[in-house]
Amino acid sequence: MTTEERIARLEGQIEELRTRQGELHQQLAQAQLDQWQGRVEDLEVQMHLAAMEANDRAAALMQQVRSRWADVRRQVEGATSTATSVGGSLREGLEKAVRDLRQALLESRNKLAS
């Protein structure tokens, strides 16, 4: 084998290696894109789960507000002579329920933000 033939063979091998290197770079880039897509999809799932949890908590607290409202309403309708004490109970109960609901919503918002 002559020097010229060796050089030509080596140049051919170099070209094959360059082609293979380009293919490997493309495969690596695709793998990285797939990895990031998986991360984004995972974040979307986490966001939806957090939103569902927030909705469940808010719905439960809203039911408590309705229940307290119904209790106080029954008390007011049943005993007008105790309207003052019932009014205080109504105000305290509803204020607590609203505070609880507000706190749950703030916590849920903070979870979604983090």
Side-chain angles (χ1 to χ4, degrees), residues 51-71:
M52 288 172 51
E53 180 183 334
N55 286 338
D56 290 346
R57 289 185 68 197
L61 289 169
M62 197 63 215
Q63 185 57 41
Q64 288 178 5
V65 169
R66 286 187 185 110
S67 177
R68 288 180 183 164
W69 168 250
D71 289 344

Side-chain angles (χ1 to χ4, degrees), residues 59-98:
L61 289 169
M62 197 63 215
Q63 185 57 41
Q64 288 178 5
V65 169
R66 286 187 185 110
S67 177
R68 288 180 183 164
W69 168 250
D71 289 344
V72 172
R73 184 175 179 187
R74 279 192 296 277
Q75 290 176 8
V76 168
E77 289 174 350
T80 56
S81 63
T82 58
T84 304
S85 65
V86 170
S89 296
L90 168 67
R91 188 182 73 250
E92 291 170 12
L94 289 177
E95 286 174 353
K96 182 179 184 327
V98 169

Side-chain angles (χ1 to χ4, degrees), residues 4-92:
E4 298 269 332
E5 291 172 335
R6 281 189 207 148
I7 291 173
R9 194 176 102 220
L10 289 174
E11 286 175 343
Q13 288 176 343
I14 289 172
E15 187 57 35
E16 288 176 17
L17 289 173
R18 284 183 180 154
T19 301
R20 182 65 183 144
Q21 182 183 23
E23 292 169 357
L24 290 173
H25 280 294
Q26 286 177 340
Q27 289 176 0
L28 177 61
Q30 185 60 48
Q32 289 173 332
L33 286 173
D34 292 344
Q35 181 184 25
W36 277 104
Q37 181 179 355
R39 288 179 178 177
V40 168
E41 289 171 354
D42 183 52
L43 286 173
E44 287 176 337
V45 168
Q46 289 179 21
M47 181 190 70
H48 288 296
L49 290 174
M52 288 172 51
E53 180 183 334
N55 286 338
D56 290 346
R57 289 185 68 197
L61 289 169
M62 197 63 215
Q63 185 57 41
Q64 288 178 5
V65 169
R66 286 187 185 110
S67 177
R68 288 180 183 164
W69 168 250
D71 289 344
V72 172
R73 184 175 179 187
R74 279 192 296 277
Q75 290 176 8
V76 168
E77 289 174 350
T80 56
S81 63
T82 58
T84 304
S85 65
V86 170
S89 296
L90 168 67
R91 188 182 73 250
E92 291 170 12

